[in-house]
Amino acid sequence: MKLYNNVFLYVFLICSSSLIAQTFKVEGNVKDNLREAIPFANVYLLKAADTTLVYGGSTEEDGTFEIKDVAPDNYLLRANYLGQTSKLIAVMVTKNTNVGELVLAEHIEALSEVVVTNKKPIIERKADRIIFNVANSALAQGSSWDILKRTPGVIIMQGEIKLKNRAADVYINDRKVYLTADELQQLLQGLDGGNIEAVEVITNPPSKYDAAGNSILNITTTKNLSIGYKGAIHTDYAIAIKPKYTFGTNHYYKNDWLNSYVSYSLNTKEEVRNGATDLLFAAENGMTNSIWESRFKRATHTNTHTINSLFEFYLNDKNTINLSVSSVLSPKIDSDRNELTTMFDANMMVDSLYDTSSTTNDYENTHLFTVQHISKLGEKGTELTTQGNYIVFDKNQEQNLDTKYRLPDNTILNENRIVTLAHQKTKIYTLQSDLIYPTEHIVFETGLKYSGINSTSEQEFENSSSNTTNESFNGIVADNFDYDENIFAGYISTSKEWDAFTVKGGLRGEYTNSKGNSLVLAQINSNSYFNLFPTLFLQYQHNENHLFGLNFNRRISRPPFQLLNPFITFINENNVVQGNPKIQPSITNRITASYTLKNKLTFDFYVERIKNDIYRMPFQNNEQQTISTITDNLINGDQVSIDVTYQDYITDNWYLYAYSSFFYLKNQFYARANNNQVLDLDVKSCYILAQNYISFLEDKSLNAVITASYMPTFISGSFYHDKAVADVSISVQKHFLDKSLIVSLGVDDLLNATNIPVTSNYLDQNYSYYSRPETRMFTGKAIYKFGNFKLKNSKAEAVEEQERLLNKD
């Protein structure tokens, strides 16, 4: 009943709103020089300003074509069919436009003169985002995860995606991906990079997007432009200590009423992670009491199936329905962890030791279902988009942990066994509508959204010894925990372009109510709040050489429901990870100013403050000699940064993208283990990145991507990164069989310097952690394309045809 009432309220709000948008169609017909109709000819619409291919289609059996959803602008139009091309004509789109006849003429010599088989990534700056166009580039031959790692401004640290030095959310085609960090990596590793059109880097998201989170990386995928079928199979191999394999296949089909895409991948891998932890426990007088050194090795075996599908149904000229399903199935996640801890006294003499052996068996399933209806309202292009999402996450975990305590002479002091059985099931429902209404001078956007989350968790605990120290932890080991959250949101925004100015502003409001119920503790934590989130974007193009920008936005980060669960997870008997049902949401305010010179050199200056930023923080109990890693709120997180970006062709075959960020970070937090004293941790540092895209051979069928990055220091929560992070990665690809077969070879983390120790060292807290997963590895990939991919591909694949057309007039 509760869900019914929420949905009813949402539908009522939608029905009582009047909202509005604007695109047009370009139509005509294609004939040969005898004025005979040409069926299945390709038609391309390019932006006149920079000849970028933005729309495409194919003719029907009677030679007619229709390109829908064309934004107002100046374009160039041309048709092509089996070695014949039409003249390039200019088209100004301000309404539905009929261009009449496009007459084909043979240009056989033209087709052999210029063959462009590869395009370098191009950076495009908008008022509210940066667009990293990667389609048909050397990067597109890797996985979507590989592309994301090499996106400007992105840093991958301990598996977490950071943008502008803060955690980032990932969207696919403007739909948020509700996955954990590990699941997201599995999904993107299984999504072939050839499906990616571009990655939009949105550091200050506009009001259309959820207010939750910091920056956004929006992955836009390609679509078929023409009727037909195409497919591909790909296989990946990587090895460092242990091998990893991926096999996948992609299939596209389009006719006059359906555009479909289906992909499947199997990822099977064995990962080895070595690491160390060091703990110094202090006595009440501040002197060293004991020092614990732990060395561990973890091997994880994983089998993951990833399925993605999209079905776009064209009901008529004004209505489209999209159905999509994404599933990540991990029936096997088996982990074996062995750890040896040596305990020294204050004089560094060995006092005792303990061995910990832990076996964990997991299975995880995540399914995302989306239904979307797009309706064109009226002849001026008003558009209403309504979308529903259903996400279900199911996880089972069994952990067996055995510990043996012994003296230096190997005399056994005590043995203990801990068994935990955990199950979590989460359901997420979202329903939203977005409408755009452009007038002659201004564009309005507005929308409503409802999100509901229901999560249930259970954990059983068994302990074979009464001597365990787990009672010293301020948490629970067995419980049933239920969590419910409802979010109601609405926004309105407007944008206008005139002369050299672009202005976009908006306001989003969100009301949230949540409740967490621990059945064992008989404790209910409820939270309700309403927040407003304004956004403002200003852009001024002084001339073709000078571009200025200024923007402001406000964001919220709600604690992930998994981290609100108060369960304890044992690393060993003295080292645990636990949730915190009292975490508060964080609020971010950011101001950014930018200047771009000749579309090559850009300076960004930004200032931000995050109140109640959320981190996992270690707190050690010196008396009990234990350590707990607990999700907690900082007081404030501050950042001031100046970023410098340069991009240009150094030679015809060498494109360089260089990015540097010089920043100051400060985290202010409560020392929970020290009577909540307020402490500051700050750092002045930089991040430098250079990406080189190089083509070889006369036909440019051999390409390389060389990436190098460096960061001397960093902070995260109460952790300080002790050493510099450096990364050099190289990837080379070669086309064969007229681009039907693409083979790539590479080396990631050539210097083996991307994993560094981190320390949390203040007052009487002295803890360091060093984790070394397999990051330096050799990679190989092969992609074989079949079907009519040459003529029926996406926007990016038509670049070769585009270049031929533009070079013959």
Side-chain angles (χ1 to χ4, degrees), residues 117-132:
T117 59
N118 198 271
K119 186 178 82 171
K120 305 299 185 298
I122 296 175
I123 309 297
E124 183 180 357
R125 283 189 167 264
K126 299 291 186 181
D128 59 354
R129 69 197 62 196
I130 299 172
I131 303 175
F132 184 44

Side-chain angles (χ1 to χ4, degrees), residues 221-284:
T221 58
T222 59
K223 290 184 178 180
N224 280 348
L225 296 183
S226 302
I227 291 174
Y229 165 79
K230 64 180 179 180
I233 57 174
H234 63 88
T235 181
D236 299 56
Y237 173 80
I239 186 168
I241 300 175
K242 297 292 184 179
K244 299 106 174 86
Y245 307 92
T246 300
F247 170 80
T249 180
N250 312 311
H251 301 273
Y252 302 82
Y253 176 74
K254 181 178 181 180
N255 57 28
D256 57 354
W257 58 272
L258 172 67
N259 188 8
S260 61
Y261 162 72
V262 177
S263 74
Y264 165 78
S265 70
L266 169 63
N267 183 292
T268 179
K269 60 184 177 181
E270 182 176 356
E271 297 177 294
V272 176
R273 182 186 295 259
N274 293 291
T277 61
D278 293 312
L279 272 165
L280 187 154
F281 293 108
E284 290 185 3

